[in-house]
């Protein structure tokens, strides 16, 4: 693959990552205000994740404009990234409708599958355990109301 094409793909990936970060940041704006003044509220963690995603997109964009990378990008990798972006966008659309407890396990399952995991047991166990962990940590332990 030519260096120009590799750079273009890297910039597209950075743009998609920045769009996902911006989507998370916009979604977090709708979260309720903190219950106690001076304490981070429900929007803190999603805002932090969004800021990190946008920062990673910036680093990826800068790396794409520099020297050529070692391994060539494959079309399959770009399609997986696009699939993950669409999967996250779908998660953000259904989250207000069905809530985090029902929306989070399919998100994790889909992202794991797109990353290459094929064991049905691992896909189900990790996605359900992660959904339960998030619920127990934020809703039960921290008292953070999630959508």
């Amino acid at each position: 693959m030519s260096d120009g094409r590799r750079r273009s793909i890297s910039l597209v990936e950075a743009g998609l990552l920045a769009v996902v970060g911006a989507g998370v940041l916009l979604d977090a704006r709708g979260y309720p205000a903190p219950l106690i003044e001076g304490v981070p509220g429900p929007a803190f963690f999603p805002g932090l994740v969004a800021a990190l995603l946008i920062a990673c997109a910036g680093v990826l964009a800068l790396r794409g404009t520099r020297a050529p990378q070692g391994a060539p990008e494959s079309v399959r990798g770009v399609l997986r990234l696009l699939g993950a972006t669409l999967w996250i966008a779908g998660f953000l659309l259904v989250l207000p409708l069905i809530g985090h407890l029902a929306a989070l396990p399919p998100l994790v399952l889909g992202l794991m599958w797109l990353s290459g995991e094929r064991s049905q047991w691992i896909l189900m166990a990790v996605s359900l355990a992660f959904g339960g962990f998030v619920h127990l940590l934020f809703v039960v332990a921290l008292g953070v109301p999630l959508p």
Side-chain angles (χ1 to χ4, degrees), residues 9 23 49 98-99 124:
I9 289 173
V49 169
I98 65 173
M124 294 301 292

Side-chain angles (χ1 to χ4, degrees), residues 48-118:
L48 178 64
V49 169
L52 291 172
L53 285 172
I54 293 170
C56 288
V59 170
L60 186 60
L62 288 175
R63 281 184 41 194
T65 60
R66 291 192 178 168
Q69 301 162 350
E73 295 290 332
S74 69
V75 173
R76 180 182 287 174
V78 173
L79 290 176
R80 277 199 320 253
L81 178 65
L82 181 60
T85 303
L86 293 173
W87 196 252
I88 292 169
F91 166 77
L92 292 174
L93 289 174
V94 301
L95 181 62
L97 302 174
I98 65 173
H100 78 281
L101 203 52
L104 194 55
L107 170 73
V108 174
L109 188 144
L111 292 177
M112 287 176 58
W113 188 83
L114 286 167
S115 297
E117 181 59 55
R118 295 297 182 258

Side-chain angles (χ1 to χ4, degrees), residues 109-133:
L109 188 144
L111 292 177
M112 287 176 58
W113 188 83
L114 286 167
S115 297
E117 181 59 55
R118 295 297 182 258
S119 168
Q120 293 177 354
W121 291 107
I122 290 175
L123 288 169
M124 294 301 292
V126 171
S127 61
L128 291 173
F130 186 75
F133 170 76

Side-chain angles (χ1 to χ4, degrees), residues 5-77:
R5 182 170 166 91
R6 208 174 296 142
R7 287 183 186 128
S8 297
I9 289 173
S10 185
L11 290 175
V12 167
E13 290 172 339
L16 289 173
L17 191 59
V19 166
V20 169
V24 171
L25 195 58
L26 287 173
D27 185 57
R29 288 181 38 205
Y31 288 7
L35 299 175
I36 301 171
E37 191 172 326
V39 175
F44 174 75
F45 185 70
L48 178 64
V49 169
L52 291 172
L53 285 172
I54 293 170
C56 288
V59 170
L60 186 60
L62 288 175
R63 281 184 41 194
T65 60
R66 291 192 178 168
Q69 301 162 350
E73 295 290 332
S74 69
V75 173
R76 180 182 287 174

